[in-house]
Amino acid sequence: MKTHRALAIILFSVAAACTAADIDPTFIRRSLASAADAPSDLTTQTCRYQPLFGAGDRQAKPLKSVARYGQVTVAGGGACRPVKYAGEEQIYFVLEGTGTLLYAGSKFPLKKDDFVYLPAGVEHTLAGGSGALRVIWMGFRIPAGTAPVPAGSPAIANLADVPKQVVGNHPPSTLYQLMIGDRSSKRDKIAAGLSVSSLFVMEFTAGGTNAPHHHEREEEVYLLLDGAGDMVAGGGMDGIEGRFPAKAGDAYFYRLNTTVGFYNAPGGAKAHILAVRSALAPPKSKE
């Protein structure tokens, strides 16, 4: 009898573990400080990639609209392999250094705080300048059947040219710089996204917050650029139950309907977060 009971407990435990393993997390935490290099389509001996979310990361399954998100480091005078994705729009954000974007046979200079939108299906790559170039590389799946966009010129701007403002019902302790929005946007510096609905930087005063909230139809990624505080992740609508200490380089991926937010450390310096939201791509036809 005892043997049967012990066996039943073991079988139940195994089944429970399997069920838990099949459940996608509501958020994923990563850090640039501990992210390992991984091979990718653009890596070379002078071009490294550290995946945080999506392609190259061990836990890519929960991501629906986000195809890839990580840091590219190009050595001075180095270059990455050219890449082209028919089903992804791309965004680059320059964290440090100078370099060149090679896009559809033309060259475009890059510097710190530049942000770039690239439509799907256009070949492009990065080259380093006199020193190392560090860039956040993002890719987002576009809706199936989307008509290709002519190459034209890439959309490039700099964060310094984007005004700071209070947005919506968020408290004035957070100022937003709205960089890239969807193609109907009237408020963003660049209106170009298909899946991408908003790329922006948030500036938090000491002790400030953007107030915990959620998005019903969008995935979101936060990257803490500088400062320190508490990241909110999946902790109820008030954001109290899910507060995690965060430092520069920490990144969070949020599934739709997950509570998100940030509380800057009181009495300290300002903090800045690079954030991007993207809509879930529609399911592929079964035909």
Side-chain angles (χ1 to χ4, degrees), residues 254-284:
Y254 300 93
R255 290 176 62 188
L256 70 167
N257 279 321
T258 300
T259 302
V260 308
F262 182 75
Y263 290 92
N264 193 18
K270 292 179 180 179
H272 295 86
I273 285 179
L274 175 68
V276 63
R277 293 203 305 266
S278 53
L280 297 181
K284 293 183 179 180

Side-chain angles (χ1 to χ4, degrees), residues 68 106 216 257 287:
R68 64 195 73 246
S106 299
E216 295 182 355
N257 279 321
E287 297 179 358

Side-chain angles (χ1 to χ4, degrees), residues 77-128:
C80 303
R81 278 196 186 90
V83 293
K84 179 171 68 172
Y85 299 101
E88 287 180 31
E89 54 190 353
Q90 310 276 301
I91 290 176
Y92 290 134
F93 180 80
V94 181
L95 295 175
E96 181 181 56
T98 60
T100 303
L101 169 70
L102 289 81
Y103 174 88
S106 299
K107 297 181 179 180
F108 300 87
L110 295 176
K111 63 181 184 297
K112 184 180 180 338
D113 290 339
D114 277 351
F115 53 96
V116 183
Y117 174 86
L118 305 175
V122 182
E123 185 174 88
H124 60 275
T125 191
L126 296 171

Side-chain angles (χ1 to χ4, degrees), residues 150-235:
S153 296
I156 303 176
N158 190 271
L159 188 61
D161 299 323
V162 182
K164 297 178 182 180
Q165 58 184 292
V166 176
V167 171
N169 295 322
H170 293 289
S173 60
T174 302
L175 296 178
Y176 289 73
Q177 290 174 280
L178 304 174
M179 298 185 286
I180 298 177
D182 62 34
R183 295 186 178 185
S184 64
S185 174
K186 304 299 182 184
R187 64 179 190 174
D188 297 89
K189 185 69 175 179
I190 296 173
L194 287 171
S195 292
V196 174
S197 54
S198 190
L199 174 78
F200 54 98
V201 165
M202 294 178 283
E203 179 180 274
F204 297 83
T205 60
T209 179
N210 61 340
H213 58 284
H214 71 283
H215 301 282
E216 295 182 355
R217 299 182 181 181
E218 295 164 304
E219 297 178 323
E220 190 159 21
V221 176
Y222 277 10
L223 171 64
L224 184 56
L225 297 174
D226 54 42
D230 287 345
M231 200 75 76
V232 175

Side-chain angles (χ1 to χ4, degrees), residues 12-26 59 61-62 255:
F12 177 80
S13 299
V14 170
C18 291
T19 301
D22 292 335
I23 297 175
D24 290 338
T26 56
Q59 203 171 18
K61 181 184 174 184
R255 290 176 62 188

Side-chain angles (χ1 to χ4, degrees), residues 58-84:
R58 66 183 184 276
Q59 203 171 18
K61 181 184 174 184
L63 284 68
K64 306 305 180 186
S65 62
V66 180
R68 64 195 73 246
Y69 188 105
Q71 177 175 259
V72 176
T73 303
V74 191
C80 303
R81 278 196 186 90
V83 293
K84 179 171 68 172

